Amino acid sequence: HTAEMYADGEAEAVVGEALVGRRDAAFLVSKVYPWNAGRDSAIAACEASLERLGTDHLDLYLLHWPGDIPLEETLEAFERLREAGKIRRFGVSNFDVDEMDALHALPGGKASAVNQVLYHLGSRGIEHALLPWQRARGIPTMAYCPLAQAGQLRRELLTHPTLLEVASGLGITPTQLLLAWAIRPVAGSGGERRRDVIAIPKATGLEHVEQNARALEITLTDEALARLDEAFPAPGRKTPLDIV
């Protein structure tokens, strides 16, 4: 996961170097600046990203946040990129309910595969309106900063007594608990439980990646979830979308 914004494109170049010889083993995501998301400029931006990444296609291409260029233009560009095989899917990032409504009202808008937003235990605002809206329409949520940037976005998060006690009781680390919470399965309309949140934590080394991956194997008990809910309750009203 990268974006043309990160380090002015240098992050894409680093990702491209890491994927040499193993591109097919990765699901590659990048994002376009809102001011580059026009009918033609989005295509030029995507092609520049592909060149930096050293690949001929992206698995997912996202509009980084809502901007001034009409969404109709962005959707047209995304569809042209998909038809050309340069992207497999497209989606959006940092869209709240109003923006998602506007997106879905446009031709081709319902083809958007995902909405990437900030979501972690200490920032649960999307649970009030946005997450239910997306779940009702089968749209996955991609959660960025699921560890609150190692606790920097909410400084007491990783040292909160409840978090430490629950993690210790489950025999896992606090960061693994935060990840397991973010991707916890939820009950579907038929009663089955499934995951519909994709967490994208930062990792700085192989050991870090492996520790993060173990979150997929963690089952949180009802008691653990209840304790976390009590310590970090979801808001009872709509709140502004958190963005970093």
Side-chain angles (χ1 to χ4, degrees), residues 187-198:
S189 56
E192 76 288 354
R193 298 182 68 82
R194 62 185 182 88
R195 302 182 195 272
D196 63 357
V197 173
I198 306 151

Side-chain angles (χ1 to χ4, degrees), residues 1-231:
H1 171 263
T2 185
E4 65 174 349
M5 182 182 84
Y6 302 156
D8 292 326
E10 288 301 314
E12 289 180 321
V14 171
V15 171
E17 291 174 8
L19 291 179
V20 171
R22 48 182 173 176
R23 168 66 182 90
D24 291 343
F27 187 92
L28 187 55
V29 184
S30 194
K31 295 185 281 196
V32 60
Y33 274 125
W35 50 84
N36 283 344
R39 184 174 288 108
D40 296 316
S41 57
I43 292 174
C46 182
E47 290 174 344
S49 288
L50 292 175
E51 183 174 354
R52 288 189 292 268
L53 287 160
T55 186
D56 62 357
H57 74 280
L58 292 169
D59 296 293
L60 179 64
Y61 197 38
L62 305 178
L63 174 60
H64 208 143
W65 64 84
D68 294 329
I69 291 177
L71 276 174
E72 293 93 334
E73 286 196 34
T74 306
L75 288 171
E76 180 184 330
F78 282 173
E79 189 55 41
R80 286 165 60 194
L81 286 166
R82 186 163 64 171
E83 289 175 355
K86 294 178 180 179
I87 65 173
R88 297 286 189 260
R89 307 162 189 83
F90 64 83
V92 294
S93 180
N94 295 309
F95 271 45
D96 208 342
V97 174
D98 289 346
E99 287 91 5
M100 292 299 291
D101 272 329
L103 176 67
H104 269 224
L106 296 173
K110 292 181 180 178
S112 178
V114 70
N115 183 19
Q116 183 188 106
V117 291
L118 186 148
Y119 183 48
H120 58 76
L121 182 61
S123 177
R124 302 179 61 178
I126 66 169
E127 293 181 27
H128 182 77
L130 181 61
L131 202 52
W133 189 99
Q134 293 186 195
R135 283 176 171 157
R137 292 159 180 80
I139 302 170
T141 297
M142 185 178 288
Y144 71 81
C145 296
L147 305 179
Q149 290 187 345
Q152 293 301 305
L153 298 180
R154 183 158 177 176
R155 293 187 181 277
E156 77 277 13
L157 186 60
L158 283 171
T159 57
H160 193 283
T162 299
L163 188 80
L164 297 178
E165 289 169 11
V166 171
S168 177
L170 294 171
I172 59 178
T173 68
T175 54
Q176 286 173 329
L177 176 56
L178 287 177
L179 280 178
W181 178 88
I183 61 173
R184 64 200 183 282
V186 296
S189 56
E192 76 288 354
R193 298 182 68 82
R194 62 185 182 88
R195 302 182 195 272
D196 63 357
V197 173
I198 306 151
I200 50 171
K202 181 179 179 180
T204 56
L206 179 58
E207 182 180 359
H208 197 180
V209 171
E210 291 173 344
Q211 287 180 352
N212 288 344
R214 292 192 191 106
L216 287 165
E217 304 167 3
I218 297 168
T219 300
L220 299 182
T221 63
D222 290 341
E223 179 187 0
L225 289 170
R227 292 195 64 192
L228 294 174
D229 279 342
E230 183 178 5

